[in-house]
Amino acid sequence: MNLAEVERVNVRNEVEEGERVKQKIEEFQVVNKESFWKRTKNVRIAMLYLLPSILLFSVFLFYPMIKTVYLSFFLTDSKGNAAIFVGLENYQYLLESARFQKSMVSTGLFVLYTVPTSVIIALFLALLANEKLRGIGFFRTIFSSTMGMSVAASAVIWLFLFHPTVGTINHFLGLFGIPAVRWLLDPTWALISIAITTVWMNIGFSFLIILGGLQNIDTTLYESADIDGAGYFYQLRRITMPMLSPTLFFIITITFINSFQSFGQVDILTRGGPAESTNLIVYSIYQDAFINYQFGTASAQAIILFIIVFVLTLLQFKFGERKVHYQ
Amino acid sequence: MSHIELHHLCKSYDQNTFAVEDATVAIEKGEFFILVGPSGCGKSTMLRMIAGLESISAGELVIDKQLANHLPPSKRNLSMVFQNYALYPHLTVEENILFGLKVRKVKKAVQKQRCEDAAKLLGLSDYLKRKPRELSGGQRQRVALARAVVSDAPICLMDEPLSNLDAKLRGQMRTEIRQLQRKLGITMIYVTHDQVEAMTMGDRIMVLRDGKIQQIGTPLEIYNHPQNLFVATFIGAPPMNISKAMVDHENKQLILKDMLCIPLTEEQMKNVTSDVVYIGIRPEQIAHGKGSSRDMTFPVSLTNVEVLGNETVLSFPVGENNWKAKWLGQWPLDIHKKTEISFSMDQIYVFDENTEEVVISPVWKEHVLKEVLTVESR
């Protein structure tokens, strides 16, 4: 018997087996005779539990989202009511607008500055804090403390630190003879200053998640590697990083989305200036909508931001996940 | 020549109590040495101290005549198999097996050869490209063993390697590990809480309790000559039956509350100094019906009967304690019925009440057994 024949016999056997299973089930099946009302009891209880979330999401998420899509096709009056339908003109206008293009570039640069830096610093701190040392709990608390701080409070702290004449940072640089930097006033430095603030704010959360990921790695893996004679950096590269990859992937995605959505620190530190160098996209949306009362273009920007984040996140999942080792 | 020596090895985590106290033993080259005891007795700690994963609080560890207290794990020339196997989930079976060799920068050709040999030895050749999560428990266990095999280390440490497997597979792996160790001639130190593994696999057994060594000896020595009450009850299934008995020094007998009077010989009586002792008898030494005149015979009422096909385990109260008897064959007796049992007085163990050390134990005719065997084999 050749291979094709064997294959055919196998397929036939499978079909026969399938028939047999169906017949037996039909023959011995016991039909549930409870009423529809009784049968759906679990579903109704589940809905009851879901109701608060569904309500909140509908009011504060789904409705605004649909409304934003709707408004992005209109010119609006000063109260934000849709006035004239313009189709895709809002989008067309935006894509041609130099201001919007500049905002996109700033946002792109900002994301580039903040995401890798946040994750690398948080990873470094987490690796340090994962060592078993006396009093390590103190450092873990300190390193994760920015998580508990509001955007406004942290921005105000950095506002003082960045102050060109009385700020601590310039004072410190002065000790080494480095001339004062006009942190928030210089168009090239302003974006970097905001990025520094954002990185600082991100670290707490990222640190905590990465530390959690590190502590989830089975210690016997390291012990086994110790017996094999693997050094610290070899273990870091061959064990820690692969085992941590799901956590890192998660934290990179979250930081990435958060960076795109930064608003508070911009509003407090620079208000989009100087020379619109820190006019990140969400701040630009805010300005258009609530200062210029251009709800139509603001909505269109929001939709563009949504699409960009959505597509980039999809790409991340598609290409990034190949390097992730889930257990 | 001793391969591994422990001299008064101690470990204390909190500086108040000992996890391992005063462990002294010499393990021979090529020996299968078993550390056994209930959970929390310090057997894993002792193994980890030998591996170098746990610091040694006091005492000396000598490996290959060299003081190894402060050697890093990789310099001790040993391999270890962990309870959860410690396989790297992101690496394939092959990469897992070769991890240690890559670290040591062994030549590629040698790596390949050793991996193939180990895979063939353990029947893993078809699974080399798979990830650990795609393997069954038994296969993962084999990968862990293969990792120990390719390392070519003369010492292998195992920390309860079979506890995650089901009963059937455990029995199979037991034999496989034992055969593997014989074939490779490595020195094995094997931690387990399972007395069946201890009895069947080991050349010698160390019984531990609360960090202290209770007894070291061959499986039969441990079984036939337990040095104290703990070892007697720990090894053997069902465990040895124990009851308290008063000592009647005048009439040279032991009195078991309202039940039994066990006469002792002059010689045996010399060893018994206290007024109260524990007597012990193995369940398999209790027979059905009346015995000979030298045997103790008495009626008991059964509380439980377990028929296991080839043997039957019966439970019945004796004084305050519940005793068990193991009879060969099938005995589907009625519960709560009276039945007569007997045991030979030569088979009883007597333990001191205070020290719990053995004072009388049955004569173990080892030399007779050996002579019979040699005659037969001729």
Side-chain angles (χ1 to χ4, degrees), chain A residues 218 220-231 234-235 238-239 242-243 325-327, chain B residues 48 53 73-74 78-80 82 84 86-91 99-100 102-104 133 147:
Chain A
D218 188 352
T220 54
L221 295 185
Y222 295 111
E223 288 175 347
S224 177
D226 273 340
I227 288 173
D228 286 333
Y234 192 85
Q235 290 187 18
R238 295 298 304 272
I239 304 173
M243 296 299 287
H325 304 279
Y326 292 105
Q327 295 209 31
Chain B
R48 292 168 61 84
L53 300 171
S74 56
L78 47 80
S79 60
M80 184 159 172
F82 292 85
N84 62 0
L87 301 181
Y88 305 111
H90 56 286
L91 300 180
F99 189 90
K102 274 187 189 150
V103 171
R104 288 200 207 100
R133 66 162 176 272
R147 223 159 45 165

Short mmCIF file of all heavy atoms in Angstrom, two decimals, chain A residues 218 220-231 234-235 238-239 242-243 325-327, chain B residues 48 53 73-74 78-80 82 84 86-91 99-100 102-104 133 147:
data_model
loop_
_atom_site.label_atom_id
_atom_site.label_comp_id
_atom_site.label_asym_id
_atom_site.label_seq_id
_atom_site.Cartn_x
_atom_site.Cartn_y
_atom_site.Cartn_z
N ASP A 218 11.44 31.92 37.72
CA ASP A 218 11.79 30.84 38.64
C ASP A 218 13.27 30.90 39.02
O ASP A 218 14.14 30.88 38.15
CB ASP A 218 11.49 29.53 37.90
CG ASP A 218 11.60 28.33 38.81
OD1 ASP A 218 12.06 28.52 39.94
OD2 ASP A 218 11.25 27.24 38.37
N THR A 220 15.12 28.72 40.28
CA THR A 220 15.91 27.52 39.99
C THR A 220 16.58 27.62 38.62
O THR A 220 17.61 26.99 38.40
CB THR A 220 15.05 26.24 40.02
OG1 THR A 220 13.94 26.41 39.16
CG2 THR A 220 14.56 25.94 41.41
N LEU A 221 16.02 28.44 37.70
CA LEU A 221 16.66 28.63 36.40
C LEU A 221 18.05 29.24 36.60
O LEU A 221 19.03 28.84 35.97
CB LEU A 221 15.83 29.55 35.51
CG LEU A 221 14.45 29.04 35.09
CD1 LEU A 221 13.81 30.01 34.12
CD2 LEU A 221 14.55 27.67 34.46
N TYR A 222 18.13 30.21 37.52
CA TYR A 222 19.42 30.85 37.78
C TYR A 222 20.37 29.91 38.52
O TYR A 222 21.56 29.89 38.27
CB TYR A 222 19.22 32.14 38.60
CG TYR A 222 18.45 33.20 37.85
CD1 TYR A 222 17.17 33.55 38.22
CD2 TYR A 222 19.01 33.83 36.74
CE1 TYR A 222 16.46 34.50 37.52
CE2 TYR A 222 18.31 34.78 36.04
CZ TYR A 222 17.04 35.12 36.43
OH TYR A 222 16.34 36.06 35.73
N GLU A 223 19.77 29.15 39.44
CA GLU A 223 20.60 28.20 40.19
C GLU A 223 21.21 27.17 39.26
O GLU A 223 22.39 26.82 39.36
CB GLU A 223 19.78 27.53 41.28
CG GLU A 223 19.44 28.48 42.42
CD GLU A 223 18.51 27.87 43.44
OE1 GLU A 223 17.94 26.82 43.17
OE2 GLU A 223 18.36 28.48 44.51
N SER A 224 20.36 26.70 38.34
CA SER A 224 20.84 25.72 37.37
C SER A 224 21.96 26.32 36.52
O SER A 224 22.97 25.67 36.25
CB SER A 224 19.67 25.28 36.49
OG SER A 224 20.08 24.39 35.51
N ALA A 225 21.78 27.58 36.12
CA ALA A 225 22.81 28.26 35.31
C ALA A 225 24.08 28.49 36.13
O ALA A 225 25.20 28.42 35.60
CB ALA A 225 22.28 29.58 34.79
N ASP A 226 23.91 28.75 37.43
CA ASP A 226 25.08 28.91 38.32
C ASP A 226 25.92 27.64 38.33
O ASP A 226 27.14 27.69 38.29
CB ASP A 226 24.61 29.19 39.77
CG ASP A 226 24.38 30.66 40.00
OD1 ASP A 226 24.93 31.46 39.21
OD2 ASP A 226 23.65 31.01 40.94
N ILE A 227 25.22 26.50 38.42
CA ILE A 227 25.92 25.22 38.45
C ILE A 227 26.65 24.99 37.14
O ILE A 227 27.75 24.46 37.11
CB ILE A 227 24.94 24.07 38.77
CG1 ILE A 227 24.52 24.17 40.23
CG2 ILE A 227 25.57 22.71 38.50
CD1 ILE A 227 23.44 23.23 40.65
N ASP A 228 26.02 25.46 36.04
CA ASP A 228 26.67 25.33 34.73
C ASP A 228 27.81 26.33 34.56
O ASP A 228 28.59 26.23 33.61
CB ASP A 228 25.65 25.54 33.61
CG ASP A 228 24.73 24.34 33.46
OD1 ASP A 228 25.18 23.23 33.80
OD2 ASP A 228 23.60 24.51 33.00
N GLY A 229 27.86 27.32 35.45
CA GLY A 229 28.97 28.27 35.40
C GLY A 229 28.70 29.50 34.56
O GLY A 229 29.64 30.18 34.14
N ALA A 230 27.43 29.81 34.30
CA ALA A 230 27.12 31.00 33.50
C ALA A 230 27.30 32.26 34.35
O ALA A 230 26.88 32.30 35.50
CB ALA A 230 25.69 30.92 32.98
N GLY A 231 27.91 33.28 33.77
CA GLY A 231 28.15 34.53 34.49
C GLY A 231 26.91 35.40 34.51
O GLY A 231 25.89 35.07 33.90
N TYR A 234 25.74 36.77 31.05
CA TYR A 234 25.26 35.67 30.22
C TYR A 234 23.86 35.28 30.67
O TYR A 234 22.95 35.10 29.86
CB TYR A 234 26.21 34.47 30.34
CG TYR A 234 25.96 33.40 29.31
CD1 TYR A 234 26.52 33.50 28.05
CD2 TYR A 234 25.18 32.30 29.61
CE1 TYR A 234 26.29 32.52 27.10
CE2 TYR A 234 24.94 31.32 28.67
CZ TYR A 234 25.51 31.42 27.41
OH TYR A 234 25.27 30.45 26.48
N GLN A 235 23.66 35.19 31.99
CA GLN A 235 22.34 34.86 32.53
C GLN A 235 21.33 35.94 32.18
O GLN A 235 20.18 35.66 31.85
CB GLN A 235 22.41 34.69 34.04
CG GLN A 235 23.16 33.47 34.47
CD GLN A 235 23.08 33.23 35.97
OE1 GLN A 235 22.24 33.76 36.66
NE2 GLN A 235 24.01 32.43 36.47
N ARG A 238 20.64 35.45 28.35
CA ARG A 238 20.04 34.20 27.91
C ARG A 238 18.85 33.74 28.75
O ARG A 238 18.08 32.91 28.32
CB ARG A 238 21.10 33.08 27.91
CG ARG A 238 22.22 33.28 26.92
CD ARG A 238 21.72 33.30 25.47
NE ARG A 238 20.97 32.11 25.12
CZ ARG A 238 21.51 31.00 24.64
NH1 ARG A 238 22.80 30.93 24.45
NH2 ARG A 238 20.76 29.96 24.33
N ILE A 239 18.73 34.25 29.97
CA ILE A 239 17.60 33.83 30.80
C ILE A 239 16.67 34.99 31.11
O ILE A 239 15.49 34.95 30.80
CB ILE A 239 18.08 33.18 32.12
CG1 ILE A 239 19.01 32.02 31.82
CG2 ILE A 239 16.90 32.70 32.93
CD1 ILE A 239 19.65 31.43 33.04
N PRO A 242 14.82 36.89 27.85
CA PRO A 242 13.73 36.11 27.23
C PRO A 242 12.56 35.87 28.18
O PRO A 242 11.41 35.97 27.77
CB PRO A 242 14.40 34.77 26.87
CG PRO A 242 15.84 35.01 26.90
CD PRO A 242 16.09 36.15 27.81
N MET A 243 12.88 35.59 29.45
CA MET A 243 11.80 35.31 30.38
C MET A 243 11.01 36.57 30.70
O MET A 243 9.85 36.50 31.10
CB MET A 243 12.37 34.72 31.69
CG MET A 243 13.06 33.39 31.55
SD MET A 243 11.96 32.12 30.96
CE MET A 243 10.97 31.87 32.41
N HIS A 325 8.51 35.40 24.42
CA HIS A 325 8.35 33.99 24.79
C HIS A 325 7.35 33.87 25.91
O HIS A 325 7.66 34.18 27.04
CB HIS A 325 9.69 33.39 25.24
CG HIS A 325 10.75 33.55 24.23
ND1 HIS A 325 10.87 32.71 23.16
CD2 HIS A 325 11.75 34.45 24.11
CE1 HIS A 325 11.90 33.08 22.43
NE2 HIS A 325 12.45 34.14 22.98
N TYR A 326 6.13 33.48 25.57
CA TYR A 326 5.18 33.20 26.63
C TYR A 326 5.46 31.79 27.12
O TYR A 326 5.87 30.94 26.37
CB TYR A 326 3.75 33.32 26.11
CG TYR A 326 3.38 34.73 25.75
CD1 TYR A 326 3.29 35.13 24.43
CD2 TYR A 326 3.14 35.67 26.74
CE1 TYR A 326 2.97 36.42 24.09
CE2 TYR A 326 2.82 36.96 26.41
CZ TYR A 326 2.73 37.34 25.09
OH TYR A 326 2.42 38.61 24.77
N GLN A 327 5.20 31.57 28.40
CA GLN A 327 5.51 30.25 28.95
C GLN A 327 4.46 29.25 28.51
O GLN A 327 3.32 29.52 28.56
CB GLN A 327 5.53 30.33 30.47
CG GLN A 327 6.65 31.22 30.91
CD GLN A 327 7.17 30.82 32.27
OE1 GLN A 327 7.13 29.66 32.63
NE2 GLN A 327 7.69 31.77 33.00
N ARG B 48 21.58 21.44 48.83
CA ARG B 48 21.92 22.75 48.27
C ARG B 48 23.24 23.27 48.81
O ARG B 48 23.94 24.01 48.14
CB ARG B 48 20.78 23.75 48.53
CG ARG B 48 19.52 23.40 47.73
CD ARG B 48 18.34 24.20 48.21
NE ARG B 48 18.57 25.61 48.05
CZ ARG B 48 18.36 26.27 46.91
NH1 ARG B 48 17.91 25.62 45.87
NH2 ARG B 48 18.61 27.55 46.82
N LEU B 53 24.63 26.21 46.43
CA LEU B 53 23.56 27.19 46.26
C LEU B 53 23.19 27.81 47.60
O LEU B 53 22.47 28.79 47.65
CB LEU B 53 22.33 26.52 45.64
CG LEU B 53 22.56 25.88 44.27
CD1 LEU B 53 21.36 25.08 43.84
CD2 LEU B 53 22.86 26.96 43.24
N PRO B 73 29.43 27.17 42.72
CA PRO B 73 28.79 25.93 42.25
C PRO B 73 29.45 25.36 40.99
O PRO B 73 29.60 24.15 40.87
CB PRO B 73 27.36 26.37 41.94
CG PRO B 73 27.14 27.58 42.74
CD PRO B 73 28.46 28.24 42.94
N SER B 74 29.85 26.25 40.08
CA SER B 74 30.36 25.76 38.79
C SER B 74 31.72 25.09 38.93
O SER B 74 32.12 24.31 38.08
CB SER B 74 30.46 26.92 37.81
OG SER B 74 31.27 27.94 38.35
N LEU B 78 29.86 19.27 39.40
CA LEU B 78 28.67 18.47 39.62
C LEU B 78 27.52 18.97 38.75
O LEU B 78 27.59 20.05 38.17
CB LEU B 78 28.26 18.51 41.10
CG LEU B 78 28.22 19.85 41.84
CD1 LEU B 78 26.97 20.60 41.55
CD2 LEU B 78 28.34 19.59 43.34
N SER B 79 26.51 18.13 38.63
CA SER B 79 25.29 18.54 37.93
C SER B 79 24.13 18.37 38.90
O SER B 79 24.25 17.67 39.90
CB SER B 79 25.07 17.68 36.70
OG SER B 79 24.94 16.33 37.08
N MET B 80 23.03 19.05 38.59
CA MET B 80 21.90 18.97 39.51
C MET B 80 20.59 18.90 38.74
O MET B 80 20.40 19.57 37.75
CB MET B 80 21.91 20.19 40.44
CG MET B 80 20.83 20.16 41.49
SD MET B 80 21.22 21.25 42.87
CE MET B 80 19.70 21.20 43.80
N PHE B 82 16.60 19.52 39.31
CA PHE B 82 15.71 20.17 40.27
C PHE B 82 14.33 19.52 40.26
O PHE B 82 13.93 18.86 39.30
CB PHE B 82 15.57 21.65 39.92
CG PHE B 82 16.82 22.43 40.14
CD1 PHE B 82 17.80 22.48 39.17
CD2 PHE B 82 17.02 23.12 41.32
CE1 PHE B 82 18.96 23.19 39.36
CE2 PHE B 82 18.18 23.84 41.52
CZ PHE B 82 19.15 23.88 40.55
N ASN B 84 11.43 20.93 39.96
CA ASN B 84 10.59 21.41 38.85
C ASN B 84 11.34 21.36 37.53
O ASN B 84 10.94 21.98 36.56
CB ASN B 84 10.08 22.81 39.15
CG ASN B 84 11.21 23.80 39.28
OD1 ASN B 84 12.37 23.44 39.14
ND2 ASN B 84 10.89 25.04 39.52
N ALA B 86 13.64 22.89 36.22
CA ALA B 86 14.37 24.12 35.85
C ALA B 86 14.75 24.13 34.37
O ALA B 86 15.86 24.49 34.01
CB ALA B 86 15.62 24.29 36.73
N LEU B 87 13.81 23.77 33.52
CA LEU B 87 14.07 23.86 32.09
C LEU B 87 13.79 25.29 31.64
O LEU B 87 12.90 25.94 32.17
CB LEU B 87 13.16 22.90 31.31
CG LEU B 87 13.28 21.43 31.67
CD1 LEU B 87 12.35 20.61 30.80
CD2 LEU B 87 14.71 20.95 31.52
N TYR B 88 14.57 25.76 30.64
CA TYR B 88 14.33 27.10 30.13
C TYR B 88 13.18 27.05 29.13
O TYR B 88 13.32 26.44 28.07
CB TYR B 88 15.60 27.64 29.46
CG TYR B 88 16.78 27.61 30.40
CD1 TYR B 88 17.84 26.75 30.20
CD2 TYR B 88 16.80 28.42 31.52
CE1 TYR B 88 18.91 26.69 31.08
CE2 TYR B 88 17.86 28.37 32.41
CZ TYR B 88 18.91 27.51 32.18
OH TYR B 88 19.95 27.46 33.06
N PRO B 89 12.05 27.69 29.45
CA PRO B 89 10.87 27.53 28.60
C PRO B 89 11.04 28.12 27.21
O PRO B 89 10.34 27.73 26.29
CB PRO B 89 9.77 28.25 29.38
CG PRO B 89 10.46 29.12 30.35
CD PRO B 89 11.79 28.51 30.63
N HIS B 90 11.98 29.06 27.05
CA HIS B 90 12.11 29.72 25.75
C HIS B 90 13.11 29.01 24.85
O HIS B 90 13.31 29.40 23.71
CB HIS B 90 12.53 31.17 25.94
CG HIS B 90 13.80 31.31 26.74
ND1 HIS B 90 13.84 31.12 28.11
CD2 HIS B 90 15.05 31.61 26.37
CE1 HIS B 90 15.07 31.31 28.53
NE2 HIS B 90 15.82 31.60 27.50
N LEU B 91 13.76 27.97 25.37
CA LEU B 91 14.74 27.24 24.55
C LEU B 91 14.18 25.87 24.18
O LEU B 91 13.39 25.30 24.92
CB LEU B 91 16.05 27.07 25.33
CG LEU B 91 16.74 28.35 25.77
CD1 LEU B 91 18.01 28.02 26.54
CD2 LEU B 91 17.06 29.24 24.59
N PHE B 99 22.84 23.90 27.12
CA PHE B 99 23.07 25.19 27.78
C PHE B 99 24.41 25.23 28.53
O PHE B 99 25.23 26.11 28.33
CB PHE B 99 21.92 25.50 28.74
CG PHE B 99 21.95 26.89 29.30
CD1 PHE B 99 21.31 27.91 28.65
CD2 PHE B 99 22.63 27.17 30.49
CE1 PHE B 99 21.33 29.20 29.16
CE2 PHE B 99 22.66 28.46 31.00
CZ PHE B 99 22.01 29.47 30.33
N GLY B 100 24.60 24.20 29.37
CA GLY B 100 25.81 24.16 30.19
C GLY B 100 27.08 24.05 29.35
O GLY B 100 28.10 24.66 29.66
N LYS B 102 27.51 25.11 26.27
CA LYS B 102 27.75 26.39 25.60
C LYS B 102 28.42 27.36 26.55
O LYS B 102 29.34 28.09 26.18
CB LYS B 102 26.43 26.98 25.10
CG LYS B 102 26.07 26.46 23.73
CD LYS B 102 24.85 27.18 23.17
CE LYS B 102 24.38 26.48 21.92
NZ LYS B 102 22.95 26.60 21.70
N VAL B 103 27.95 27.37 27.79
CA VAL B 103 28.55 28.25 28.79
C VAL B 103 30.04 27.92 28.94
O VAL B 103 30.88 28.81 29.01
CB VAL B 103 27.84 28.10 30.15
CG1 VAL B 103 28.59 28.84 31.24
CG2 VAL B 103 26.41 28.61 30.06
N ARG B 104 30.34 26.64 28.97
CA ARG B 104 31.74 26.23 29.17
C ARG B 104 32.53 26.26 27.87
O ARG B 104 33.68 25.84 27.84
CB ARG B 104 31.78 24.82 29.76
CG ARG B 104 31.33 24.83 31.19
CD ARG B 104 31.79 23.61 31.95
NE ARG B 104 30.84 23.38 33.02
CZ ARG B 104 29.87 22.49 32.98
NH1 ARG B 104 29.76 21.70 31.93
NH2 ARG B 104 29.04 22.37 33.97
N ARG B 133 7.31 23.12 26.89
CA ARG B 133 5.87 23.09 27.16
C ARG B 133 5.14 22.09 26.27
O ARG B 133 4.00 21.73 26.53
CB ARG B 133 5.26 24.48 27.03
CG ARG B 133 5.30 25.03 25.63
CD ARG B 133 4.32 26.17 25.43
NE ARG B 133 4.48 26.72 24.10
CZ ARG B 133 5.33 27.68 23.80
NH1 ARG B 133 6.07 28.23 24.73
NH2 ARG B 133 5.46 28.12 22.56
N ARG B 147 20.36 16.80 30.67
CA ARG B 147 21.21 17.94 30.96
C ARG B 147 22.32 17.54 31.95
O ARG B 147 23.45 18.00 31.84
CB ARG B 147 20.36 19.05 31.56
CG ARG B 147 20.72 20.37 30.98
CD ARG B 147 19.65 21.39 31.12
NE ARG B 147 19.04 21.46 32.42
CZ ARG B 147 18.30 22.49 32.80
NH1 ARG B 147 18.14 23.52 32.00
NH2 ARG B 147 17.73 22.51 33.97
#
